[in-house]
Amino acid sequence: MTKQKYTISGMHCASCANIISRNLSKQAGIKNVAVNFATEKAQVEYEEGQIDLVKMNEVVSKYGYTLHDAVERDDQHHMAKPATSEHDHGENIDLSKQKAKVDFVLPLALLVFVLMMWDIAAQFFTFIPSLPLPMSLLNVVLFILASIVLFWAGQPFLKGVLIFLRTGSANMDTLIGIGTLAAYIYSSLVTLLPEFTASLGLPELTYFDVTIVVIGFVILGKYLETRSKLKTGEAIEKLLNLQAKTALVKRDDKEIEIAISEVILGDIVIVKPGAKIPVDGVIIEGQSAIDESMITGEPIPVDKKIGDRVIGATINKQGSFQFKVNQIGANTMLAQIIQMVEEAQGSKAPIQKLADKISAVFVPIVLVIALLSFILWLALGSSALGFSVALSYAILSFVGVLVIACPCALGLATPTAMIVGMGKGAQYGILIRNAESLEKLSKIKTIVLDKTGTITKGQPAVTDIFSIHPDYSEDIILQYLASAEKLSEHPLAQAIVNKAQEKKIEFLAVKNFQALEGIGLEAEISKKIIFIHKPDKSDASNKQIKELQHQGKTVIVLEVNKVKVGVVALSDTIKDNAKMAVQALHKLGIKVIMLTGDNELAATYIAKQVGIDQVMADVLPQQKAEKIKSLQTEGQKIAMVGDGINDAPALALADVGIAMATGTDVAIESAGISLLHGDINKISQAVKLSRATMRTVKQNLFWAFIYNVLGIPIAAGLLFPWFGIILNPIFAGLAMAISSVSVVSNSLRLKKIKI
């Protein structure tokens, strides 16, 4: 089974997406189709050999659409990236064509609109003079202008009508096309064949102004919508532009500058102050402070030294250094982020299913309503108003219903907000795998945190040193311990060595080093026998040792010449910002639970320090998923936060899995959301982002629905019997344009929210 992404040309509304999805899904070999109107992309899962791009295009081309490959690769080394050059170039050309039409039609539409309002006002107010042009001459001028507007600027709408007649599938273009064409044909008959229309008793009114102004407002709305939609995808474009274009590498003892596509694994890259790091790697010489804000959203530069990883597209702020390339092309962190954001922006949130279901049946229902309103006006209005007036209103209501009912705003409501929200998340180091995870996170009231690597740093460190002999200070105790442990392979040994290096303590010469498995180690230092071991029975009465053990810390005793002289305690230390992160979650009304394999004493001690609400201790890795399931059976919606490796089952089972992605490992399949650099503060930021995004989605859906729910009945003439109000198609076209632009503009406001 192959999953492929395609860009789509020819889409104009949410109904277009449904037409493509519905017809492709019927084809043999295609398992799943997801079409996103906002991004104009389709993700198709299909069986190779049964169907291909050519066959897919044979299916959709008769409806006016074309699929294009969405990914291009310059070569095997270069980063795989969206075909932005071709697709965006095509979008820019389309935008330019739309702008040319707007520049011509809009001034014309505004002029006609003014003339129309003048004529209406002159009929109601005696002090306003009639139009200075004779109606017969004005109709001829409007006929010529309406012909140009309809058959040039209105080509997509006429094409929509032809496709509807040929296939029975209707979209927004069909609605606009039928409405404006009906107004144009009737008006042309009145203008060109006045005797014929008079013999039928038809009113002499013309609606060329409706054709011109409606098309003018609609193409203005489409132009603004297209321009706004391009802005919603700026996050991807910005990420792509972050990549360095060249790299300074060492080859054959020479420094040469090459294109980034020519960098290979194992290359030694030189990075000078102020330069952009081209690809991912590990520092082998020098040190520096690096601005990683494009990955983490944090403005403070991160200190880097030999052995530390560096990430492509981040900026070297200070020293010069060299690093060895270990990731290129599609495997770099930047490439993975772009891929994740792209896939997420193309996914659908559960809330969008409602809009999709409505859009799928919307256009046919609107066509029926428009036809019924036309028939009812003639049937009921003729006796009350006379045939001539009734026909005039019938035409206005028919065109008005078709024009105002555009489902564009409905189709844009969810995806535009999701695209902007996910893009903003990526800028803050919050990578959202799919729209469903973002929606679910907004409803979460309980978050379960893994302890090691999430609340704590995941690395043991020396927390306490105290002397139990007057001749040995804390520094001397640490000196003896570190000198001996430097030769040890025990996991805790490095923590002691690191502490000594941090305090700049000199290491002593060690002789006769001997590791005693399960006990400790022995060595000779300065002609003294050193014995390092765990507390024994004789230490049981020591209050300090007992207290440290109650805190869940590992205690080590130092003996010199068989005399106990000092004690050192080690523990996995709490992250500096853990307490602040938990407080931020509490402010959002979220209960915080800690899930850990540690004993209850140690877990409770850490939980109290951080402010955790509930502790689940002594839980084996394979039992973590069972604990999540148990909480869910209580009716709670659970988000699980872990390191994405041993917590994978729990992350997958939780309603939302959040992985603390560290280093360059961002592609964590079991989690719906990844937080770069393991920053626990980003949990509350992710919750705030999800809530703000869903709030925007609901606002968008409200306005999209309200335009249609209120507009269609008014356009059909529902208020006429009581208030004498009927919505002119010109105002319907304006309302339709405003609805789409307002939805996209509201989504773009997400860019400015603070999380």
Side-chain angles (χ1 to χ4, degrees):
M1 195 67 68
T2 301
K3 189 180 283 186
Q4 186 67 46
K5 191 176 288 183
Y6 302 101
T7 56
I8 309 169
S9 56
M11 287 181 69
H12 301 293
C13 64
S15 295
C16 297
N18 287 313
I19 291 169
I20 295 167
S21 180
R22 185 173 65 248
N23 286 283
L24 282 180
S25 297
K26 294 176 184 175
Q27 306 307 307
I30 292 182
K31 182 182 178 183
N32 187 48
V33 181
V35 181
N36 191 315
F37 166 50
T39 58
E40 296 183 2
K41 288 181 181 176
Q43 191 161 283
V44 185
E45 195 174 349
Y46 63 95
E47 201 74 55
E48 278 193 271
Q50 291 193 40
I51 196 163
D52 56 20
L53 180 59
V54 175
K55 290 180 182 176
M56 290 183 210
N57 270 323
E58 286 176 3
V59 173
V60 300
S61 60
K62 58 186 172 186
Y63 300 101
Y65 313 111
T66 308
L67 301 179
H68 311 273
D69 278 319
V71 175
E72 58 179 19
R73 298 172 189 267
D74 295 337
D75 56 56
Q76 61 178 334
H77 302 302
H78 201 259
M79 180 171 73
K81 62 182 181 180
T84 50
S85 55
E86 182 181 341
H87 182 58
D88 287 355
H89 180 62
E91 283 188 331
N92 288 329
I93 290 174
D94 185 46
L95 197 64
S96 297
K97 287 180 179 177
Q98 287 186 42
K99 189 175 185 303
K101 289 181 179 180
V102 168
D103 289 344
F104 174 79
V105 177
L106 188 60
L108 192 62
L110 291 173
L111 175 62
V112 171
F113 180 71
V114 169
L115 292 175
M116 182 198 75
M117 296 304 293
W118 185 351
D119 185 49
I120 292 172
Q123 294 175 33
F124 287 93
F125 303 103
T126 55
F127 62 87
I128 296 176
S130 299
L131 288 172
L133 293 171
M135 190 56 65
S136 57
L137 176 61
L138 183 61
N139 280 341
V140 172
V141 172
L142 289 176
F143 167 72
I144 296 168
L145 294 177
S147 300
I148 296 170
V149 170
L150 179 64
F151 295 105
W152 174 58
Q155 275 183 0
F157 310 125
L158 297 179
K159 187 178 178 183
V161 176
L162 291 173
I163 291 171
F164 173 64
L165 294 173
R166 190 169 66 243
T167 66
S169 292
N171 59 16
M172 169 208 144
D173 288 349
T174 309
L175 300 181
I176 304 298
I178 292 174
T180 53
L181 189 62
Y184 174 82
I185 291 172
Y186 178 83
S187 302
S188 298
L189 287 173
V190 170
T191 303
L192 302 177
L193 302 171
E195 293 177 2
F196 173 71
T197 52
S199 67
L200 295 176
L202 299 177
E204 295 180 6
L205 295 171
T206 60
Y207 304 98
F208 291 124
D209 50 358
V210 169
T211 300
I212 295 169
V213 179
V214 165
I215 289 177
F217 283 160
V218 170
I219 64 170
L220 172 64
K222 291 182 77 168
Y223 168 71
L224 295 174
E225 179 189 301
T226 303
R227 197 173 66 174
S228 298
K229 276 165 63 180
L230 286 173
K231 287 184 180 179
T232 63
E234 280 179 355
I236 290 284
E237 192 62 34
K238 284 179 180 176
L239 288 170
L240 282 168
N241 292 334
L242 285 172
Q243 190 180 27
K245 304 296 185 289
T246 61
L248 186 63
V249 301
K250 250 187 178 182
R251 288 185 183 171
D252 301 325
D253 295 325
K254 292 180 181 178
E255 293 182 11
I256 57 170
E257 190 168 7
I258 59 174
I260 191 172
S261 58
E262 296 174 16
V263 175
I264 60 174
L265 290 173
D267 262 341
I268 305 301
V269 178
I270 301 162
V271 184
K272 295 181 178 179
K276 192 174 281 188
I277 297 168
V279 290
D280 299 358
V282 177
I283 295 177
I284 59 171
E285 184 181 309
Q287 58 184 18
S288 183
I290 296 175
D291 178 2
E292 295 188 339
S293 57
M294 77 93 182
I295 294 290
T296 64
E298 301 299 330
I300 300 171
V302 181
D303 291 330
K304 299 281 184 176
K305 60 184 184 303
I306 293 173
D308 287 343
R309 288 178 174 178
V310 291
I311 302 164
T314 56
I315 299 169
N316 181 26
K317 302 296 285 186
Q318 289 182 337
S320 179
F321 65 89
Q322 297 180 21
F323 73 91
K324 189 174 184 178
V325 177
N326 64 3
Q327 298 289 354
I328 58 172
N331 295 320
T332 62
M333 178 180 268
L334 180 62
Q336 289 185 51
I337 291 172
I338 290 169
Q339 184 180 350
M340 283 184 71
V341 175
E342 263 223 313
E343 288 178 358
Q345 290 182 342
S347 64
K348 288 187 179 182
I351 198 170
Q352 193 175 338
K353 291 177 183 176
L354 173 65
D356 285 348
K357 286 178 181 177
I358 293 171
S359 296
V361 297
F362 192 76
V363 173
I365 289 173
V366 168
L367 284 169
V368 171
I369 292 172
L371 194 59
L372 281 174
S373 67
F374 183 85
I375 293 169
L376 287 172
W377 268 108
L378 288 180
L380 303 177
S382 295
S383 57
L385 304 169
F387 177 75
S388 179
V389 176
L391 179 60
S392 178
Y393 282 138
I395 293 170
L396 286 175
S397 67
F398 178 75
V399 177
V401 168
L402 292 177
V403 171
I404 202 168
C406 166
C408 273
L410 195 60
L412 291 167
T414 302
T416 52
M418 288 291 178
I419 288 168
V420 176
M422 290 170 177
K424 188 174 183 70
Q427 291 171 356
Y428 277 81
I430 302 166
L431 302 186
I432 299 154
R433 185 168 292 281
N434 51 59
E436 185 176 0
S437 295
L438 188 65
E439 179 177 339
K440 285 183 175 179
L441 185 59
S442 68
K443 302 172 184 175
I444 293 295
K445 294 295 181 183
T446 303
I447 288 183
V448 178
L449 303 177
D450 174 50
K451 181 180 78 71
T452 306
T454 303
I455 298 170
T456 63
K457 294 177 181 177
Q459 296 176 338
V462 174
T463 58
D464 305 87
I465 305 171
F466 63 89
S467 172
I468 53 177
H469 193 287
D471 295 338
Y472 289 85
S473 67
E474 291 182 5
D475 283 354
I476 292 174
I477 291 166
L478 183 59
Q479 185 180 41
Y480 275 66
L481 280 167
S483 299
E485 294 284 12
K486 197 173 183 183
L487 303 177
S488 173
E489 295 179 355
H490 194 279
L492 297 178
Q494 189 59 47
I496 295 171
V497 172
N498 289 343
K499 186 69 174 179
Q501 289 174 333
E502 182 187 312
K503 298 188 75 174
K504 297 182 179 178
I505 289 174
E506 184 182 351
F507 290 89
L508 302 173
V510 179
K511 295 180 182 178
N512 303 322
F513 176 87
Q514 185 181 3
L516 306 172
E517 191 173 345
I519 300 172
L521 62 85
E522 266 188 2
E524 184 182 335
I525 299 176
S526 302
K527 297 182 180 180
K528 296 174 183 177
I529 302 301
I530 305 301
F531 180 35
I532 300 170
H533 62 88
K534 295 177 182 177
D536 54 29
K537 291 180 182 178
S538 64
D539 300 309
S541 60
N542 188 301
K543 289 183 179 180
Q544 287 176 301
I545 291 176
K546 283 176 71 176
E547 178 60 29
L548 292 169
Q549 288 177 325
H550 274 298
Q551 293 174 10
K553 295 179 180 180
T554 301
V555 180
I556 294 174
V557 179
L558 171 65
E559 288 187 17
V560 179
N561 290 336
K562 297 186 178 180
V563 177
K564 292 177 182 178
V565 298
V567 174
V568 169
L570 299 97
S571 177
D572 184 6
T573 54
I574 296 169
K575 288 182 177 179
D576 298 333
N577 54 5
K579 186 174 182 179
M580 190 189 306
V582 172
Q583 288 174 343
L585 290 172
H586 284 156
K587 285 180 182 177
L588 294 171
I590 292 173
K591 179 182 178 182
V592 183
I593 298 173
M594 185 170 77
L595 187 63
T596 178
D598 272 4
N599 66 73
E600 193 157 348
L601 280 173
T604 304
Y605 174 74
I606 287 175
K608 282 181 180 177
Q609 286 184 290
V610 178
I612 301 287
D613 299 305
Q614 183 182 339
V615 175
M616 293 182 175
D618 297 307
V619 180
L620 298 174
Q622 60 268 31
Q623 294 175 327
K624 287 185 176 181
E626 294 172 16
K627 291 291 184 183
I628 296 296
K629 194 171 184 179
S630 174
L631 289 168
Q632 289 172 326
T633 56
E634 296 172 9
Q636 299 185 56
K637 296 290 183 184
I638 304 294
M640 168 70 189
V641 184
D643 62 12
I645 303 168
N646 57 359
D647 297 315
L651 289 170
L653 186 62
D655 295 282
V656 181
I658 302 175
M660 307 296 288
T662 56
T664 56
D665 180 20
V666 297
I668 299 174
E669 296 296 332
S670 54
I673 297 172
S674 296
L675 309 179
L676 296 184
H677 283 223
D679 187 351
I680 192 171
N681 269 327
K682 295 190 186 299
I683 301 172
S684 60
Q685 289 181 331
V687 173
K688 287 178 186 174
L689 179 66
S690 68
R691 291 181 180 180
T693 303
M694 292 313 300
R695 190 162 56 245
T696 302
V697 167
K698 288 170 183 175
Q699 289 168 355
N700 287 349
L701 286 173
F702 171 78
W703 287 112
F705 278 120
I706 210 75
Y707 271 113
N708 289 315
V709 169
L710 296 179
I712 291 175
I714 294 172
L718 190 65
L719 299 181
F720 187 84
W722 295 279
F723 305 103
I725 296 172
I726 186 167
L727 187 67
N728 191 295
I730 289 172
F731 295 106
L734 183 61
M736 187 213 74
I738 291 171
S739 68
S740 293
V741 175
S742 64
V743 160
V744 178
S745 300
N746 190 44
S747 295
L748 289 171
R749 288 193 312 115
L750 275 170
K751 289 185 174 185
K752 297 179 181 178
I753 64 159
K754 291 182 180 180
I755 59 171

